[in-house]
Amino acid sequence: MEEFLSSTGGRLVHREAEPAGLYWAVVQPTAPGSNQFVARISWTVYPHRPPSLLFAPAIDQPTSDPRGWPAASGYRAPNDICKPFTAEGQSLHAEWATGPHAWRNTGNPFLFVVENLVEDINRIGGARAA
């Protein structure tokens, strides 16, 4: 996962002083001149549950600032991301508990989440919600 982020110009940050399961993913969009996004990824039970996924303008800053959020579909700044790979999306859609949107805890779920995140940001050319 760290290798994937690094290959796209981003990085993963986890400090020992932070709660277990809390990570910051710095994502660099591929669009020229785009600024980085900082995703706050918080796992409660890895790999059995999807993580909470929110955005902040910078590491350790509040996730309530819409300027830190991408303008991607389903990313509802500054509240939540309504996607099957997030805890917020799964809690909003009980029907996602089964079928094609069900959380899969096999393989590398952390990489799965970050790949989806990077793809969504690149799909919109790094556009911001605010």
Side-chain angles (χ1 to χ4, degrees):
M1 210 284 303
E2 289 178 275
E3 186 177 314
F4 170 73
L5 272 175
S6 178
S7 73
T8 63
R11 63 190 169 97
L12 185 67
V13 176
H14 174 72
R15 293 172 285 197
E16 289 185 31
E18 293 178 326
L22 177 62
Y23 295 85
W24 299 90
V26 179
V27 176
Q28 179 60 57
T30 56
S34 295
N35 292 323
Q36 294 178 330
F37 286 91
V38 176
R40 182 185 182 277
I41 303 171
S42 181
W43 297 93
T44 55
V45 184
Y46 182 83
H48 302 291
R49 299 277 186 264
S52 171
L53 181 54
L54 303 169
F55 283 86
I59 294 172
D60 286 334
Q61 289 193 356
T63 58
S64 57
D65 187 342
R67 294 175 294 176
W69 286 66
S73 176
Y75 289 59
R76 303 182 305 190
N79 301 315
D80 60 28
I81 299 171
C82 191
K83 295 274 190 159
F85 61 90
T86 69
E88 293 81 6
Q90 288 286 334
S91 72
L92 289 169
H93 293 277
E95 70 274 16
W96 287 355
T98 59
H101 296 298
W103 176 251
R104 290 180 208 71
N105 61 9
T106 57
N108 187 337
F110 205 150
L111 180 59
F112 172 75
V113 167
V114 172
E115 285 176 336
N116 276 281
L117 178 68
V118 169
E119 184 178 307
D120 286 347
I121 290 171
N122 284 332
R123 187 177 301 114
I124 52 142
R128 295 196 177 263

